[in-house]
Structures are given as structure tokens and as C-alpha cells.
Amino acid sequence: NNLGGYCGKDSTPPGECGVTQNDQEIIFKNVGIFDNDKLTLVVKNTSKYVPYTGNAGAGPNTDGHYNNGALGSVGQVNLKNGYNVDLEFEFRHSNGELAVVSGYFVFFDLDTHSCECDPVDDDCENCPACENLGRDVVHIPDTQIQSAGLNSDDDIILSLDTNLCVSKNNGETSFWSTSVGDGADNPDTFSLLGSQLTGLTTKQRKVAGAFAFTEESVLDITYEIAGPKYGKGRNLVFSALIYNCVPFG
């Protein structure tokens, strides 16, 4: 647990984390079963990574890079306000080889620091109320988004009463937060029923979203906290649902 050379949850320097370590990544073991094998998810940064420098043990949402790692049944990556980071999510077999999988990648708790946003003219980025405050944003290359069922209506999963604003620009699909959130937005468990996320509270459902991917080993995702550089930071909360058999048709 050493993303970008920063110690994460339950990691201690110098033996397990720090800038002197070669493996500057987060490894989530046994995240699911695929082809009768236990999958591992590896998270790496491919651009400069700037988390909030917190203190271990401060709390699940407030201790900066020490938040990095597992949060119950989901994963978490911290980022300082006003920055962005390009992340790679690698699916691997238990022997370390890349696994080619299909399913949905899910984001939770996409919210703002303390502002309610009503995008101007449906322009997700144009939100005067949040101009000076942090907003969670996730960017995904359009080339990665494809439902295994080949039904484009299932490429993006949002609740009917979602608080998220989705934009498509320059070959990317972006999920923009528009509402204030707190730690209660983090789920304990969830599932996918048809084209809807289930097992979530109303509040959790409104700030969650997912995209479908087909036969991928590595997903490239950019996490951004739009707004000025100030204060502490926020957390990207994520998970994935992997098909054991791909439902083509």
C-alpha cells in the first residue's frame, strides 16, 4: 500500500512503504473470482500524485494518504484539493499475469466540499456556486466504455434520481459531482440488478455511478478535485463487478 511512494492504510516505513520502495502501488488481493482463479487489483499512478499529508489514525475520511487502501468492501484513494491524478487499475491473476475481464467499474461518494451545484446550461463544469470549493470529478476514455451485452444503454449506470452530471468531451466521459456529501455516502455493500445499483441508501445511490468495460486488463481513469488548491483533500471510493462469463447477445 504505497501509491506514489506515500504510505497507505496499515503500511509502515521504511520496509513497507515510502519513496525508496520500488513498488509504488496499492495491491488489493482476492477481489473476486474469475475463471476459477482469485483476482488481484493493482492501482498505480501514471502522473504526479499529490495526496493530503495526513496523520495515521485520524479517521476513515480525514487522514490523507493513510486513507489509501481498503475501506470495508470498497477501495479508496486520497487526493489533495485542486489536483488531478491519472490512475491505472490492473486486473491480475493470482500468478501475477494480467487477466482479461469484463464487467462494471463503480464509483461512490462523488460529491462536493460544501456547495450545491446547478450546472449552467447543462454544462457540468460551469458551476458558479462551487467555483472556489472542491468537486469530485472522474474522467474515463470513451474507448474503454462498452457494455459486454453490446447494449449501449447499459454503458453508463446512474440512478434515475442521480445528483451526478455526465459530460462527453474530447474523447472522454466525465462524472461531475453536484451535491454536498459526507462519510455516510460510503457503502458497506452493493450489487447490480439489471441496469441499477442496489443495496445502497438513497443518499449513496445519488452520488454513485458506473461504466461498463469489455475484455480489458487495464483501466485508465483520471481522478480530479476541481477547484482551487486549498485545505485538505478528498477520496475516490471505488469497486468493480466482474462477469465470470461474458453475457454477449
Side-chain angles (χ1 to χ4, degrees), residues 169-190:
N169 291 294
N170 301 317
E172 285 188 334
T173 294
S174 302
F175 296 77
W176 295 78
S177 60
T178 67
S179 60
V180 180
D182 55 40
D185 299 342
N186 298 331
D188 296 320
T189 185
F190 73 98

Side-chain angles (χ1 to χ4, degrees), residues 43-194:
V43 183
K44 303 177 182 180
N45 62 298
T46 58
S47 67
K48 184 178 180 181
Y49 174 52
V50 184
Y52 171 62
T53 304
N55 298 306
N61 294 290
T62 58
D63 49 1
H65 57 80
Y66 291 105
N67 286 339
N68 292 350
L71 178 66
S73 60
V74 297
Q76 187 168 242
V77 168
N78 180 261
L79 186 66
K80 195 170 183 178
N81 290 331
Y83 289 86
N84 63 73
V85 61
D86 298 328
L87 298 170
E88 277 188 353
F89 294 79
E90 293 182 356
F91 296 97
R92 296 182 183 175
H93 289 291
S94 58
N95 63 5
E97 295 181 357
L98 289 175
V100 179
V101 297
S102 303
Y104 283 90
F105 204 89
V106 190
F107 306 104
F108 304 98
D109 197 20
L110 292 181
D111 50 33
T112 71
H113 180 186
S114 58
C115 55
E116 296 289 339
C117 178
D118 186 12
V120 177
D121 298 326
D122 293 326
D123 179 357
C124 296
E125 186 174 2
N126 189 355
C127 178
C130 293
E131 184 176 357
N132 296 312
L133 295 167
R135 297 174 64 195
D136 286 332
V137 192
V138 175
H139 307 281
I140 305 103
D142 288 338
T143 53
Q144 290 182 162
I145 302 175
Q146 180 185 352
S147 171
L150 301 183
N151 182 352
S152 61
D153 292 339
D154 295 333
D155 287 353
I156 301 293
I157 300 295
L158 296 169
S159 70
L160 296 177
D161 55 352
T162 185
N163 286 346
L164 302 183
C165 184
V166 178
S167 67
K168 288 183 174 290
N169 291 294
N170 301 317
E172 285 188 334
T173 294
S174 302
F175 296 77
W176 295 78
S177 60
T178 67
S179 60
V180 180
D182 55 40
D185 299 342
N186 298 331
D188 296 320
T189 185
F190 73 98
S191 59
L192 186 67
L193 181 62

Side-chain angles (χ1 to χ4, degrees), residues 231-244:
K232 297 182 178 181
R234 307 187 63 76
N235 303 301
L236 175 66
V237 182
F238 58 88
S239 188
L241 294 166
I242 304 300
Y243 291 125
N244 229 342

